[in-house]
Amino acid sequence: MAVQTVHTTSASDESGTGTVDLGPAAALSCRECGERFALGPIFACESCFGPLEVAYDLPDDGPDALKKRIAEGPDNIWRYAPLLPVPADVAAHPSTNPGFTKLVRADNLARELGITGELHVKDDSGNPTHSFKDRVVAIAVEAARAFGFTTLSCSSTGNLAGAVGAAAARAGFRSCVFIPHDLEQGKVVMAAVYGGELVGIEGNYDDVNRFCSELIGDPLGEGWGFVNVNLRPYYGEGSKTLAYEICEQLGWRLPDQIVIPIASGSQLTKIDKGLRELVKLGLVEDRPYKIFGAQAEGCSPVSTAFKAGHDVVRPQKPNTIAKSLAIGNPADGPYVLDIARRTGGAVEDVNDEQVVDAIKLLARTEGIFAETAGGVTVGVTRKLIEDGRLDPALTTVVLNTGDGLKTLDAVSPTTGPTATIRPSLDAFRAAGLAS
Amino acid sequence: MAVQTVHTTSASDESGTGTVDLGPAAALSCRECGERFALGPIFACESCFGPLEVAYDLPDDGPDALKKRIAEGPDNIWRYAPLLPVPADVAAHPSTNPGFTKLVRADNLARELGITGELHVKDDSGNPTHSFKDRVVAIAVEAARAFGFTTLSCSSTGNLAGAVGAAAARAGFRSCVFIPHDLEQGKVVMAAVYGGELVGIEGNYDDVNRFCSELIGDPLGEGWGFVNVNLRPYYGEGSKTLAYEICEQLGWRLPDQIVIPIASGSQLTKIDKGLRELVKLGLVEDRPYKIFGAQAEGCSPVSTAFKAGHDVVRPQKPNTIAKSLAIGNPADGPYVLDIARRTGGAVEDVNDEQVVDAIKLLARTEGIFAETAGGVTVGVTRKLIEDGRLDPALTTVVLNTGDGLKTLDAVSPTTGPTATIRPSLDAFRAAGLAS
């Protein structure tokens, strides 16, 4: 098994001893069987092959003291260091310092959607490389540092490659990132400009992934931290910061409803984990919240399973413009189904035309230009309001996880000048645009 | 004169009475002859045709009280409302809420440049539409609101159009923006996606500008606030917030040296104005600072005048990849020359190849992907260090005013995969990239 090989060949000095300092992170535990492992660059249970996640010794100095520590922290994810698998002095490490992005009160959008309660957009396009990936990568960098890795790597179709390239450059790591060889030029430039190695793989994303798995098990990959493979348990925890920020920005209050995009499903499950931690720590009042997952119709394995009442997610071959969500076999799909059902939420999907309409709706009402994933969440919100599953009178938060500049192709065929005229007042008058 | 026409036909009810509430803004004053005018949508002196700027009654409650008010304000430019031409309750108005972008301590870049003191990059790519234009537009929106305008407009080659579109959408204004008809598709999409009117003008940027001047003097343009024409005195003040933020983020301390890009020159002159205000208010200790202006060689009218010892700037026909700086006849050129000479700074330029090298240098060392304007400032910084005009032992701040995603074409010809291989370990080994 590649998994065990990684465990015993990479960073074995530290991973076996339990002396790694990742702050409140106490161990890794299996999400299926609960078995615990020392902190290390491993990602699957040795007993049952279930996914591993970080288990914590969370602070017990009471909610008021903790809120004060957080408020005194920096304006980025490191303010939540006491709740993350990072050392206490993390804010002093070189990092892209993502997070604490805007929670935008979206009254104009609310009016258009018929929402009478509070509507907020959590806008992660404000991160350093303009997607939420900066959050998860920043945490993975700290794990890589703790485990003695000197090269950061990943398989990616774009956003992640840019986030890894930028974070590695800033933090002084070598990086070597793998992408399908036929990506759009813009994404290739973003992945290459930070000066790390960028390798195009002749094949599709699945081929890239398979190749990376081979590399992890081979001496060629020794000393390499693959942020979304052997560092995945740490990496995933970065998404908890979205939950923390939303609640803090609401004045330490849980939202009633939250709409989250689903790619692997990891982000949704970690946001739920973060919300439950805040309740447990007494930072927010314990009351019900509903979690809604959003997919594009052209890659909707979780939505399909939800609607059919299944516990198992059947893989799909993706065909949608929402490429950052196009994972046909989402690893955390079953956990997403659990959470949507447990909280009384749902998983829904919208087609590509609805995605484009929703991107434009958000831009027109709030001045936020979202990537396709943001079109998916706004589009699904509209659908859920229309069929009554989302209560318009409550407090709702919708996530935008990326930037429209990265997915221009989605809107460019239908977005352009109102008119093109000669530079004269007569021509302008004839165009009928004067107020 | 179109100027007077605007003054007396637009928003005349308010502009003549002096009852407009723009906070500490007391009047407009002529930068040439000093004559004062009531606050209104005017931009040139009726006596000498000199440019108007905002004159203030600044707060006199002492530096400590003011620092406290600022610290208690929001994490955006409105924290500086007591120093800006905006009403006291501005933070409650719908706005894109730009500003308080990261001041990045750039130790890696400093090492490469041979800087032994503190080097910081003020990274304005973190603004809502990813350029510093969000700052100036946000202030113009408040002026437009105060003067009763209902349509926001501008002439633009890209960044400004996006900033106006987003701000208008969010703040509930109609927008009608004018661009040359042959812009790159990406910039057209950014200008159009927010749903305002976008008019392509058959001609170049100069033709667009001329057309806008005609429109301001015509009844067709009544009720229109052109952010960079009849609202320009207010708009320009937005750049002061860069000075405020830099000093606050340095712990209420002036930098020793600051490198600023020059397009019209307005940003540089307003940053200097902001720094002097902070000294006057006692928020920072009064000590010398040097201001350096940065241009691209292909559009370097101010740099050329500086080197020749001239007080007058001779217009140039722009030919550079740094299109956001390509103003051949910069309105504030003479003021820039004054400031560079008064502070002991300089104005320098770099060629397009040096711009591209500098973009890559910043990306590789700090994980910041700058637009071409950022390549200009970093490139000029390197040049000034090499020839000894910038002291490497002092505290230096370099501005990045935009985002690399908007000027991909500058780096794409020389930025791509290190290798493209089949998905096999043998192929990877042969590529020689293993650690």
Side-chain angles (χ1 to χ4, degrees):
Chain A
M1 267 301 294
V3 176
Q4 271 80 356
T5 307
V6 170
H7 189 186
T8 53
T9 59
S10 299
S12 54
D13 296 348
E14 297 178 316
S15 62
T17 64
T19 59
V20 171
D21 175 15
L22 288 175
L28 294 178
S29 73
C30 176
R31 271 153 81 181
E32 290 300 322
C33 74
E35 191 171 338
R36 284 168 78 100
F37 300 87
L39 295 171
I42 54 173
F43 56 101
C45 176
E46 290 183 10
S47 303
C48 76
F49 308 118
L52 301 181
E53 67 175 351
V54 177
Y56 294 91
D57 288 332
L58 288 177
D60 57 2
D61 45 355
D64 291 341
L66 185 52
K67 278 184 196 172
K68 188 160 174 287
R69 274 166 75 186
I70 290 170
E72 289 169 357
D75 290 339
N76 55 51
I77 60 171
W78 306 131
R79 67 200 281 109
Y80 307 110
L83 310 178
L84 295 171
V86 297
D89 66 345
V90 63
H93 296 176
S95 163
T96 61
N97 295 326
F100 225 59
T101 55
K102 291 182 197 296
L103 183 72
V104 177
R105 174 72 182 249
D107 289 342
N108 298 334
L109 178 60
R111 257 190 308 278
E112 294 248 2
L113 295 180
I115 290 179
T116 53
E118 285 177 38
L119 176 65
H120 301 266
V121 175
K122 180 63 176 171
D123 185 13
D124 249 15
S125 67
N127 275 316
T129 71
H130 308 319
S131 89
F132 94 98
K133 293 290 187 189
D134 292 318
R135 298 176 183 271
V136 288
V137 169
I139 307 281
V141 166
E142 294 307 312
R145 202 189 303 272
F147 300 140
F149 291 134
T150 52
T151 298
L152 287 180
S153 187
C154 69
S155 54
S156 170
T157 62
N159 278 342
L160 183 57
V164 167
R170 173 103 180 119
F173 285 78
R174 178 175 178 264
S175 70
C176 185
V177 164
F178 300 92
I179 58 172
H181 73 297
D182 57 355
L183 282 193
E184 305 94 304
Q185 195 193 34
K187 288 189 180 164
V188 174
V189 170
M190 266 295 275
V193 76
Y194 303 103
E197 312 286 359
L198 175 70
V199 179
I201 295 288
E202 291 168 357
N204 60 25
Y205 183 64
D206 288 333
D207 297 317
V208 179
N209 261 334
R210 264 192 299 274
F211 170 75
C212 288
S213 297
E214 270 192 86
L215 191 52
I216 288 177
D218 191 274
L220 278 176
E222 198 159 325
W224 287 37
F226 285 78
V227 300
N228 55 347
V229 189
N230 58 350
L231 299 175
R232 190 171 185 85
Y234 311 94
Y235 166 92
E237 297 293 289
S239 290
K240 289 196 312 178
T241 58
L242 281 161
Y244 302 153
E245 290 180 17
I246 289 167
C247 290
E248 184 179 1
Q249 289 170 323
L250 287 175
W252 290 116
R253 174 167 63 98
L254 287 170
D256 298 309
Q257 308 171 121
I258 177 164
V259 185
I260 305 169
I262 301 171
S264 72
S266 167
Q267 186 183 59
L268 187 147
T269 61
K270 297 302 182 183
I271 288 175
D272 178 62
K273 186 182 181 186
L275 296 176
R276 285 184 290 118
E277 284 174 355
L278 296 185
V279 169
K280 197 172 154 196
L281 290 162
L283 292 182
V284 295
E285 191 189 340
D286 188 9
R287 57 195 184 104
Y289 59 83
K290 294 184 180 183
I291 289 192
F292 297 86
Q295 296 209 291
E297 186 181 289
C299 182
S300 52
V302 189
S303 168
T304 303
F306 182 85
K307 291 172 185 174
H310 293 162
D311 293 331
V312 177
V313 173
R314 185 178 302 178
Q316 292 183 359
K317 189 158 186 259
N319 179 22
T320 168
I321 57 169
K323 289 179 189 163
S324 62
L325 304 182
I327 297 184
N329 188 14
D332 282 18
Y335 301 111
V336 169
L337 293 172
D338 283 352
I339 292 166
R341 287 173 181 143
R342 169 169 55 77
T343 64
V347 184
E348 190 48 271
D349 55 84
V350 283
N351 65 35
D352 284 358
E353 195 184 331
Q354 291 168 317
V355 170
V356 171
D357 284 350
I359 291 173
K360 291 183 183 176
L361 174 65
L362 180 61
R364 175 168 61 78
T365 52
E366 301 298 342
I368 297 171
F369 183 23
E371 76 150 295
T372 44
V376 168
T377 50
V378 171
V380 161
T381 301
R382 172 147 67 178
K383 200 166 177 178
L384 293 168
I385 286 282
E386 282 168 2
D387 67 15
R389 282 180 289 172
L390 211 136
D391 188 333
L394 299 180
T395 296
T396 303
V397 174
V398 178
L399 264 63
N400 172 41
T401 52
D403 201 291
L405 276 176
K406 295 195 187 185
T407 56
L408 285 172
D409 289 351
V411 294
S412 60
T414 58
T415 305
T418 321
T420 299
I421 61 170
R422 283 174 297 106
S424 84
L425 292 178
D426 282 345
F428 183 63
R429 195 177 289 109
L433 295 170
S435 50
Chain B
M1 266 302 295
V3 177
Q4 271 81 354
T5 308
V6 170
H7 190 188
T8 53
T9 60
S10 299
S12 54
D13 295 348
E14 297 177 317
S15 62
T17 64
T19 60
V20 171
D21 175 15
L22 289 174
L28 295 178
S29 73
C30 176
R31 271 153 82 179
E32 290 300 323
C33 73
E35 191 171 339
R36 284 168 78 100
F37 301 87
L39 296 170
I42 54 172
F43 56 100
C45 176
E46 289 182 11
S47 304
C48 77
F49 308 116
L52 301 181
E53 67 174 351
V54 177
Y56 295 90
D57 288 332
L58 288 177
D60 57 1
D61 44 355
D64 291 340
L66 186 52
K67 278 183 195 172
K68 187 160 175 288
R69 274 167 75 186
I70 290 170
E72 290 169 357
D75 290 339
N76 55 52
I77 60 170
W78 306 131
R79 67 199 282 111
Y80 308 109
L83 311 178
L84 295 171
V86 296
D89 66 344
V90 63
H93 296 176
S95 162
T96 61
N97 294 326
F100 225 58
T101 55
K102 292 181 196 297
L103 184 72
V104 177
R105 174 72 182 250
D107 289 342
N108 298 334
L109 178 61
R111 256 191 307 278
E112 295 248 1
L113 295 179
I115 290 179
T116 53
E118 285 177 38
L119 177 66
H120 301 265
V121 175
K122 179 62 176 171
D123 185 13
D124 249 14
S125 67
N127 275 316
T129 71
H130 307 320
S131 88
F132 94 98
K133 292 290 186 188
D134 292 318
R135 297 177 184 271
V136 287
V137 169
I139 307 281
V141 166
E142 295 307 313
R145 203 189 303 272
F147 299 140
F149 290 135
T150 52
T151 298
L152 287 179
S153 187
C154 68
S155 54
S156 170
T157 62
N159 279 342
L160 183 57
V164 167
R170 172 106 180 118
F173 285 78
R174 177 174 179 263
S175 70
C176 185
V177 165
F178 299 93
I179 57 172
H181 73 295
D182 57 354
L183 282 192
E184 305 94 305
Q185 195 193 32
K187 288 189 180 163
V188 174
V189 170
M190 266 297 273
V193 75
Y194 302 104
E197 312 286 359
L198 175 70
V199 179
I201 296 287
E202 292 167 357
N204 60 25
Y205 182 65
D206 288 333
D207 296 318
V208 179
N209 261 334
R210 264 192 300 274
F211 170 74
C212 287
S213 297
E214 271 192 87
L215 191 52
I216 287 178
D218 191 273
L220 276 176
E222 199 159 324
W224 288 38
F226 286 79
V227 300
N228 55 347
V229 189
N230 58 350
L231 298 176
R232 190 171 185 85
Y234 311 94
Y235 166 92
E237 296 294 288
S239 290
K240 290 197 311 180
T241 59
L242 280 161
Y244 303 153
E245 291 180 16
I246 288 167
C247 290
E248 183 179 2
Q249 290 170 322
L250 287 174
W252 290 115
R253 174 166 62 98
L254 288 170
D256 299 308
Q257 307 171 123
I258 177 164
V259 185
I260 305 169
I262 301 171
S264 73
S266 167
Q267 185 182 59
L268 187 147
T269 61
K270 296 302 182 183
I271 288 175
D272 177 61
K273 185 180 182 188
L275 296 176
R276 285 184 290 117
E277 283 174 356
L278 296 185
V279 169
K280 196 172 156 197
L281 289 162
L283 292 182
V284 296
E285 191 189 340
D286 187 9
R287 56 195 184 103
Y289 59 84
K290 294 184 179 183
I291 289 192
F292 297 86
Q295 296 208 292
E297 187 181 288
C299 182
S300 52
V302 189
S303 167
T304 301
F306 182 85
K307 291 173 185 174
H310 294 162
D311 293 331
V312 178
V313 173
R314 184 177 304 178
Q316 291 183 358
K317 188 157 187 262
N319 179 22
T320 168
I321 57 170
K323 289 178 188 163
S324 63
L325 304 182
I327 297 184
N329 188 13
D332 281 18
Y335 301 111
V336 168
L337 293 171
D338 282 351
I339 292 166
R341 287 172 181 143
R342 169 169 55 77
T343 65
V347 184
E348 190 48 271
D349 56 83
V350 284
N351 64 36
D352 284 358
E353 194 183 330
Q354 292 169 316
V355 171
V356 171
D357 284 350
I359 291 174
K360 291 183 183 177
L361 174 64
L362 181 61
R364 174 168 62 77
T365 52
E366 302 297 342
I368 295 171
F369 184 23
E371 77 151 295
T372 43
V376 168
T377 49
V378 172
V380 162
T381 302
R382 173 148 65 179
K383 201 166 177 177
L384 293 168
I385 285 284
E386 283 168 2
D387 67 16
R389 281 179 290 171
L390 211 137
D391 187 333
L394 299 180
T395 295
T396 304
V397 174
V398 178
L399 264 64
N400 171 40
T401 51
D403 201 292
L405 277 175
K406 295 196 187 184
T407 56
L408 285 172
D409 290 351
V411 294
S412 58
T414 56
T415 305
T418 321
T420 300
I421 62 170
R422 284 173 297 107
S424 83
L425 293 177
D426 282 345
F428 184 63
R429 196 176 289 111
L433 295 170
S435 49

